[in-house]
Amino acid sequence: MDFGLSDEQRQLSDILGNYLADQLPIDELRAVADQGTGFSDDLWQGLVELGLPGLLIPEEHGGSGLGILDAAVVAEALGYGAAPAPYVASMVMAPLALLRSGDDAQQAAWLPRIAAGEVRLGLGFEILSGGTRAGDIALKDGKLSGEFSGILDGGAATHVLLYLADGWAVIVDTNTDTAELHSATTIDGTRPLTTVTLTDANVEFLDAANDPVAAAQSVLDAGRVMLAADTLGAGQRMLDDAITYAADRVQFDRPIASFQAVKHMCADVVSALEPCRALVWYAAYAQDAVPDEARVAACHAKAHLAEVGRDVARTTTEVHGGMGFTDLLGLHLWFKRIGFDRQVLGGPEHCRHEAAVAQGWAVE
Amino acid sequence: MDFGLSDEQRQLSDILGNYLADQLPIDELRAVADQGTGFSDDLWQGLVELGLPGLLIPEEHGGSGLGILDAAVVAEALGYGAAPAPYVASMVMAPLALLRSGDDAQQAAWLPRIAAGEVRLGLGFEILSGGTRAGDIALKDGKLSGEFSGILDGGAATHVLLYLADGWAVIVDTNTDTAELHSATTIDGTRPLTTVTLTDANVEFLDAANDPVAAAQSVLDAGRVMLAADTLGAGQRMLDDAITYAADRVQFDRPIASFQAVKHMCADVVSALEPCRALVWYAAYAQDAVPDEARVAACHAKAHLAEVGRDVARTTTEVHGGMGFTDLLGLHLWFKRIGFDRQVLGGPEHCRHEAAVAQGWAVE
Amino acid sequence: MDLNYSDRHKALQDKVRAFIDANKHEAPSLANVRKKPDRATLAWQHKLLRYGYVGRTVPRQYGGFGAEPDVLESAIISQEFTGAGISGGITNQGISMLVPTLLEVGTEKQRVRWIAPTLQGEIIWCQGYSEPGAGSDLASLKTHAHVDGDDFVINGQKIWTSSAHFADMIFILVRTEPDAPKHRGISYLLVPMDSEGIEVRPLKTMTGQSTFNEVFFTDVRVATDQIVMDRGDGWKVANTTLKYERLLLGDPNKMLNRFHRIVKMMEDTRIGGRRLMDMPEYRDRLLRLQGEVMASKYHGMRLLTEADKGEESGVKRLIVKYFGTVLAHKLSALAVDVMGEAGLAYDLSGLGTEDASLWNSDYMYDIGLIIGGGSSQIQKNIISERGLGMPREPRAEPQKAQKTMER
Amino acid sequence: MDLNYSDRHKALQDKVRAFIDANKHEAPSLANVRKKPDRATLAWQHKLLRYGYVGRTVPRQYGGFGAEPDVLESAIISQEFTGAGISGGITNQGISMLVPTLLEVGTEKQRVRWIAPTLQGEIIWCQGYSEPGAGSDLASLKTHAHVDGDDFVINGQKIWTSSAHFADMIFILVRTEPDAPKHRGISYLLVPMDSEGIEVRPLKTMTGQSTFNEVFFTDVRVATDQIVMDRGDGWKVANTTLKYERLLLGDPNKMLNRFHRIVKMMEDTRIGGRRLMDMPEYRDRLLRLQGEVMASKYHGMRLLTEADKGEESGVKRLIVKYFGTVLAHKLSALAVDVMGEAGLAYDLSGLGTEDASLWNSDYMYDIGLIIGGGSSQIQKNIISERGLGMPREPRAEPQKAQKTMER
């Protein structure tokens, strides 16, 4: 038994962490976040050079053929850096969608271009789009029309991959007149949510999966694990920052870190957050290695990190006092990142309900 | 506007509080609790002398004709003292049931005897009895058979008043062969829960109410407010004890009350508990004076005090450290009292659901 | 227990309602109360002053209405204007804090000079207390002033100064006696904001807005008679001021109004085709909060009653800020959550609704409120020490100004 | 990441399972492990010792099995016995704490004299550390001993002494150097429980049971060579002992087993005709706890792996007691809640079920666990100071024994 990361996974985490610490200083991060596209060309090129887009793509298609636990390690590091980069959808879910539901020709056509960083796919689930109106996507003569919201990584996407309500996946080229993208400002400047308006748009169907609903779910589950890992990284960053700040900040002739109240806030945070790491690792590992538990583990990783993340974000902000509420330290970028992770691809109540259904404890 | 207690209500509270402090030392309380009947003859006589059984009974029937807020003030004081006395059912709900659903003759027959302390009625709701089996109460030829559990104040009851599932109320004499009472040991030694097994028992119907279900609900609501007030008193006692203990207990050369962690635990408790007092007062007052809000207020008082009470009980026990866990101080008697209040007449989830139904937010 | 107003208070309530009905067309937009007052705002302010809905208990000789203090009257006036969504007059710390302070500890000359123009909206004040290094431990403030001829010369920095970008004056705490014990080396000065050497920079917060400022002082000169009480008395003066801030009782219905907004949203909104109110997990959270909101409301009424009777509310009053701000945050958290992805929207284009954007702003601003004006940790110290009589922590070092302060 | 055991560990697991299968008919009831061992218990203990399932890493010359320490082996053995519901041997603090301590700091003579009989169950030990006035601040203990001839003479009181009513020996901390600094005035003695002047009184707890005792010492004499290490070294010895207690890793599946019991109850039980699992408010709470339980389980596996590799787990290890005990309490609270009124039952007559009584007992006992062995507040101090490197609080007074100690 060896429950933990391999040396290679630790290295991957260190390399990416160091890269982000060097290349994404807070001013740079803030500047990208202010744009709200969730995209910086420099950062993107850097991540491509590190090989991230091809992480999950088999070597035959130009990737490195790693697993979902490796991808989670990356997600955690990106969360730690609040990296404004299309990752969860573009580098994890879309490649998996092609691997699960694309035929050989589609995989050969798309995967090498994704691995090379040439195409970036946004991705959305109609059923989870969170729209306040009823869905209005219509397929007619092989062309798609309607408005599709809640797309991840759509800020600088070359294409979008859409899961329709029945579980079918389609790819739409965003560079045509029939698809209009609008990225709304969300609380999280590092990752927008995008709506695409389609008017008789040509789509490419990914329909090679034997069980399209199961295939769609496995892509969704992988995405949820990534968001959990992202929250884990962001939460860890906020805790580290809080400890540092509390050690430096003097009030009443003492560093505030010496006050029991402040210490106990940090103790509460680490006591909730550290076990999350093992949960996220397991949930990621289970996606590849323990199919029976993959769904439930992914739902719980997403839901539990959402709940813990919220408390961590608030408590660590409080440790920073007024400074945590200002823009001066940029701490709020992580606060908002955690808020974003919570709500996309299903909020915690939703995920827990799915876990209940998957275990036969509730009906859909 | 005058939101608060009258001078008379404060006096009532003080008199009863002082009486219990004098007459119910911890050793006496522990001895009664160890029996588990929820009844002490001495204490009962004392409460009768103070006029408690007649509190809500009109003067024409030998009572003092006070209102439900007065009754809540008493309940709070009894909770503060963890008094092992049949109150909620015997002195509040049963008189109200007779006033709401008894005809003039029944009122004239029962109320003076209740006020004089001659009869003590236990009371239960079939629909809330919490039984793990389906109800099996059957009425045949005017006689009742079956097992009825979850009866309050049944430990030394002379009669029981039972609300059947359809809202009808009946009174059963417990001193006959056709009604067999069994009081189970619950966590709370100061008040048992009783099961009555009926075999063709003679019953007296209280059927003078125009709307029997509404009448039953108003009795239930009043009972819930009393339990909320009881928890309020018990919680206040635990807080007071915790503050005293923390001031006396020295560790690391300081009273533990000077540690920020201990102080903040007490601050959290008072911040949650003190607003509950206003909620309980309002809920009690609303039973008599604001009929439109009576149901919702009673449900919320019960539910909110159950949740706050649990936290208060645990936190104040923790402030006492190991001593809180022993029997030496008897603190656990209040801990258990709060646990009992939480579960009887509907747990918090149940009460909140009823509040939702009453406001049209959920269906039954 | 009596939830109804007395005849006298009922009459006042009727009068205020009639006034609002008759005059609301003249009221300035609520959005303007925290800005530099325009003509309409000033006219409205003057009218409110005349009717006694502003400066009600300030003596007539200082430009007020001269009524006897009456907590319920003040509460009724405030609730009626808030409830109607009508401006109850200019809101700034000059009116809420400086005026009562001058009435209590100012000289006759200071009262005459400052109170009436402040009430009339001709002088807008901001408050210079907090510093980047002096938040919870306010008395460790380092902004200092030395006497040079007839002037104080001020150097240092203040933070969290709302309204500073348009205020006419600032009341400020500065260290004037560097060798005195920490709390006794501070003075309270009144300084024109157009003085040379004052620079105001907007302070952006996590909500993205800049409702606060940083104010920098570089050799700012102010006449030595611009002091309230004596040199070294500033901490005493500030506590007078803070006392009045603490006396401002919140509207007991405030949380309830917020709660009702969520109820409406959950009744009216469908996400994925399902009414939010029909999701049991959300509904149970809503109901849990309803219990808290009701407790908060009735607790507020209880405090009003006690204040009305002149009773000391002690710990009951001290807990309000802590539980109130935390409850507000729980409410906005529920509102944000139930909207799911749509709840992430933070502008009004495309995705989401006005609700989403407003609730998100609240969700973050509420954290600022939990922290600001004494963080939860400081509040809990106050509650336990002053409210419950628990002992203070042993001090780290003897209480005195640090050397670094004297640069 | 690899969730499977190595071949070697798999082989051990098979061997243990086979042993249990073949011998379980001889195993004493689990209810007996915390009582004075009877003949069957002793026979079982001797067999476990022979097979290396008890005293596995204790050297052969002291009566152990002499295996190399291997965290996973120990975990496997413990899990298999627990999982099968079979006694894994006598449980007392002599075996879990004193034996490793003597191995580390005892004299050869002490090892030879005490270890083998302790492992064999011939000597049952109890632990005398806590006192009524020395809980969190253990080093302030006041039970004291002075030398009189060849004896220590002990006076004072210990509390929380489980097994004291049938133990043969007690290892005890007493103050022997009243003038030394607090932590350096303590000695660690080994005292027969049948010594004249020892009185054991059962200590009743809130659960109603008396699993603990108070032990009173009045002029109890013990030979001066019954000391481990030297006079004044007791605190050092105790920390050796506590280190071994802290090294005992819990079973990662423990919370999960508890969770499954609740699931089963909620699936099988109907209250008021409705299946508990079908009540969305309860179900959502159950699912929240499932997330925590999973995190706890995998965190436990991570710690096992790190211990197996000889890595220091730091803060990861330090948080376990705090979050584990709190989680256990949340689980029992849910169990108690879902049963409604039926959940109040605390005996098995009439109302309620065995479940109700057991869960209620757990609900209260879990609070004892949160408090015992270092309360949550002490745990959070340890987590933040030792785990996160945050500074200690300033001390109230210089660290020394107080006068009151020397009566």
Side-chain angles (χ1 to χ4, degrees), chain A residues 128-130 132 150 185-187 249 251-252 254 265 310 321-322 325-327 332 335-336 342-345 349, chain C residues 132-133 135-137 160 204-206 270 282 285 336-337 340-342 344 346-347 360 363-364 367 371 396:
Chain A
L128 289 170
S129 70
T132 48
T185 304
T186 73
I187 54 162
R249 172 83 177 172
Q251 292 282 276
F252 305 103
R254 294 161 56 176
M265 290 164 90
R310 160 168 288 173
F325 181 60
T326 69
D327 182 53
H332 63 95
F335 181 97
K336 292 165 179 172
R342 178 185 178 99
Q343 299 295 78
V344 295
L345 301 186
E349 291 84 0
Chain C
S136 298
D137 183 14
W160 302 114
K204 197 168 147 193
T205 67
M206 69 191 296
R270 287 169 188 274
Y282 293 144
R285 258 176 81 186
V336 165
D337 284 357
E341 285 187 3
L344 293 169
Y346 204 46
D347 70 0
N360 261 310
Y363 177 64
M364 292 183 278
I367 290 191
I371 293 168

Side-chain angles (χ1 to χ4, degrees), chain D residues 308-329:
Chain D
D308 183 42
K309 293 183 176 173
E311 293 172 5
E312 277 294 330
S313 292
V315 72
K316 295 191 282 292
R317 161 85 39 98
L318 297 174
I319 60 179
V320 169
K321 196 259 173 180
Y322 171 52
F323 88 71
T325 50
V326 172
L327 175 56
H329 186 251

Side-chain angles (χ1 to χ4, degrees), chain D residues 152-207:
Chain D
F152 284 113
V153 182
I154 308 170
N155 281 282
Q157 181 193 351
K158 295 292 176 180
I159 196 172
W160 302 114
T161 320
S162 52
S163 311
H165 47 301
F166 63 82
D168 306 294
M169 296 285 296
I170 185 167
F171 52 95
I172 185 176
L173 292 179
V174 295
R175 188 163 301 283
T176 53
E177 326 299 314
D179 297 325
K182 189 163 153 178
H183 292 84
R184 273 179 262 156
I186 297 169
S187 296
Y188 187 106
L189 307 182
L190 310 177
V191 183
M193 284 298 285
D194 60 2
S195 306
E196 202 171 324
I198 292 186
E199 189 197 347
V200 177
R201 290 188 209 151
L203 178 67
K204 196 168 148 192
T205 67
M206 70 192 293
T207 68

Side-chain angles (χ1 to χ4, degrees), chain D residues 123-136:
Chain D
I123 301 176
I124 301 295
W125 293 82
C126 59
Q127 180 209 61
Y129 284 7
S130 297
E131 298 182 4
S136 298

Side-chain angles (χ1 to χ4, degrees), chain D residues 268-284:
Chain D
D268 294 350
T269 311
R270 287 169 187 275
I271 301 274
R274 195 162 177 206
R275 207 172 67 122
L276 291 175
M277 188 61 95
D278 293 334
M279 300 187 64
E281 297 89 351
Y282 292 144
R283 192 175 56 223
D284 191 55

